[in-house]
Amino acid sequence: MQRRPVQLLFPDGFLWGAATSAHQVEGGNVNSDWWRFEHTPGSPAGVSSGDGIDHLNRYREDFDLLASLGHTAHRLSVEWARIEPAPGEFSDAALAHYRRVLEALRERGLRSFVTLHHFTLPAWFADRGGWLGPDALAVFDRYCARVLAALGDLVDFVCTINEPQMVALHGYLEGYHPPGVTNAVLWKRVGRVLLEAHHRAVATTRAHADAAPGLVVQLPVLAPAREDAVTRRYRDELRAEIVDLYLDALRPGAGGDWLGVQYYRKNWVDPASPTIFAPPPPGFATTQLGWAVYADGLREVLVRAARTGLPLYVTENGIATEDDAERVDYLEAHLGAVLDAIGDGVDVRGYLHWSAFDNFEWAEGYRPRFGLIAVDRAAGFRREPKPSAYAFQRVAESGDLSRLRATGVAVA
C-alpha cells in the first residue's frame, strides 16, 4: 500500500524542473550511431528522430516557457556527435551553440544540469568499437575536457553519463539500442567501462570547471516473477549488475558530489523470459509502454541510494500516457514518495520531471507521451502546456504538494 507523506512541504531551496536530451529534442543528429540505427532496415528503432521537436532552434522560447511554469532548474545534454564530428576534430560552432544555450538558461534563472553522454555516440566512435574500443576511455576523456574547458563556467551540475547500466543492458544484452548486441558477457564488461568513464569524467570536471559532477542512474525496483530459488537468485544477480555495482562504487568525493536517481517502474524478473522480464501481475496500473506504476518504489530507491552518502536529485521520473489526468495522479503519488523519503531522513534536493516536452523516445519513436508540454510536430512544432504542467507549477512555486490540485493560478 502506498504511504502518504507525513508533511506536504518540500525543503527551502528545493530545485524544480524537467529534463531533455539532445538527440530526443534537437533533430538532425546525422553523425550519431542512433541516427544510423534508426535508418538501418530491420532495426528495432523503426522511426527516424528526424527534426526532433526543433529545440535546436527554439531553445530560447522553450526556456521562456519552462521558466514561466515555475521551473528553477533544467537538465539537458550536449551532443558529442555534433561537438566532435570526426576523431579529434572539434566543432567551434557546436560549442558556441551550446554556450548560447547555457547562457539562455542562466539569463532565465534556471540552474543547469548538463549531461555529457546521454545514450548517443558519434558514428566514428561506434565504428571503432564504441565503449569496447581499445582507446574508448581516453577518447571520452578528451571530449569531456574539451567540453568543460569551453562550457564549464556556465554549468552548475555535470551529469557525467546517463544511465550507464541501461546503456549496457539495452545495447549489449537486450539489443534494442545500438549496437544491437545480445551477449551475456559483453554487457557486464560495458557496464564496468562506463563506471570507469564516470570516475574519469569526475576528475576531468574538477580540473576544468567549478561545476559539481555526479552520475545519474536508473534504479528500477526488481522483484522475482516467481518465488522459487532459481528466479530469486536471477533477480539478485540482475540487481547486483544494474543497481549495486554502481551505487557501491560511489562515495562522497571520489564518486562525485551528488547522485541523480531516475525511477520509472517495478520490474518482475524472469529467467525463462526471452526479454528477461515478465509482464506486471494483474491489478497493476500500466503506462503506454506497459510499465507498472509503483509510486512507493521511488521512496525505496531513494532510501537505497542514500547509502552512498551523497546528496540526491531525482533527475528523471515520469509516465508515458495520452491521458494527462493520469500524469497528474502520477505526479501526486511520486512527489509524495519523495516527501516520504525526505521524512525518512534522505537528503533529496530537487526533482526534474521526465520530460519537459513530448519528444522522441528512442526505439519507441514519438508514440509515448511523457511531456508536461505537448508538441504538435505537424503544426509548426506548436507547444501547448498540459494541465499537468500547471499542476507541477503550483507545487514548484509553493513547495506545497497540497497545491497540486488547487484551482486557479499558481501562488508563489
Side-chain angles (χ1 to χ4, degrees), residues 233-388:
R233 183 168 59 250
Y234 187 71
R235 185 275 314 271
D236 292 346
E237 291 170 355
L238 191 62
R239 184 166 57 197
E241 284 295 323
I242 68 175
V243 176
D244 297 339
L245 173 68
Y246 300 90
L247 297 185
D248 291 347
L250 302 177
R251 62 185 187 278
D257 295 339
W258 58 279
L259 174 64
V261 172
Q262 312 198 158
Y263 173 77
Y264 289 98
R265 56 175 162 167
K266 185 172 184 175
N267 290 91
W268 284 265
V269 176
D270 186 355
S273 169
T275 64
I276 309 171
F277 302 112
F284 268 85
T286 57
T287 74
Q288 274 182 303
L289 297 174
W291 297 355
V293 177
Y294 177 61
D296 195 53
L298 180 52
R299 179 195 60 81
E300 293 177 24
V301 299
L302 287 168
V303 169
R304 169 64 181 91
R307 298 182 205 168
T308 62
L310 294 166
L312 307 180
Y313 294 85
V314 178
T315 43
E316 286 187 26
N317 174 240
I319 180 174
T321 179
E322 291 278 4
D323 182 355
D324 195 58
E326 288 185 344
R327 183 168 293 102
V328 174
D329 292 342
Y330 185 97
L331 277 167
E332 183 174 45
H334 287 75
L335 290 175
V338 174
L339 280 172
D340 282 342
I342 293 171
D344 290 339
V346 178
D347 183 9
V348 188
R349 300 185 181 183
Y351 177 93
L352 305 176
H353 187 74
W354 185 269
S355 57
F357 305 93
D358 289 338
N359 57 210
F360 181 74
E361 287 294 340
W362 308 110
E364 301 291 340
Y366 285 96
R367 179 180 65 89
R369 306 292 188 181
F370 278 96
L372 294 170
I373 300 166
V375 178
D376 191 337
R377 298 174 69 245
F381 301 98
R382 185 178 66 242
R383 275 71 164 144
E384 183 65 39
K386 303 173 186 178
S388 58

Side-chain angles (χ1 to χ4, degrees), residues 187-200:
W187 83 281
K188 296 180 180 181
R189 187 182 305 170
V190 168
R192 286 155 177 79
V193 170
L194 288 165
L195 187 55
E196 175 60 23
H198 159 70
H199 284 294
R200 291 197 182 199

Side-chain angles (χ1 to χ4, degrees), residues 125-196:
F125 183 83
D127 290 342
R128 288 160 46 148
W131 291 112
L132 295 175
D135 60 348
L137 290 172
V139 171
F140 180 64
D141 193 47
R142 179 183 68 192
Y143 155 72
C144 292
R146 187 62 175 264
V147 168
L148 291 164
L151 307 176
D153 60 308
L154 293 170
V155 178
D156 296 303
F157 299 87
V158 170
C159 311
T160 58
I161 296 172
N162 180 73
E163 299 182 354
Q165 74 276 62
M166 297 305 162
V167 174
L169 183 72
H170 298 336
Y172 289 85
L173 184 62
E174 295 173 300
Y176 69 90
H177 282 200
V181 171
T182 54
N183 186 295
V185 174
L186 290 183
W187 83 281
K188 296 180 180 181
R189 187 182 305 170
V190 168
R192 286 155 177 79
V193 170
L194 288 165
L195 187 55
E196 175 60 23

Side-chain angles (χ1 to χ4, degrees), residues 23 27-52 82 120 123 176-178 360 362-363 365-366 377:
H23 188 79
N29 189 20
V30 299
N31 291 321
S32 71
D33 63 337
W34 257 97
W35 183 272
R36 185 166 60 189
F37 195 62
E38 295 159 21
H39 294 84
T40 299
S43 163
V47 175
S48 169
S49 54
D51 290 324
R82 294 188 195 277
T120 52
Y176 69 90
H177 282 200
F360 181 74
W362 308 110
Y366 285 96
R377 298 174 69 245

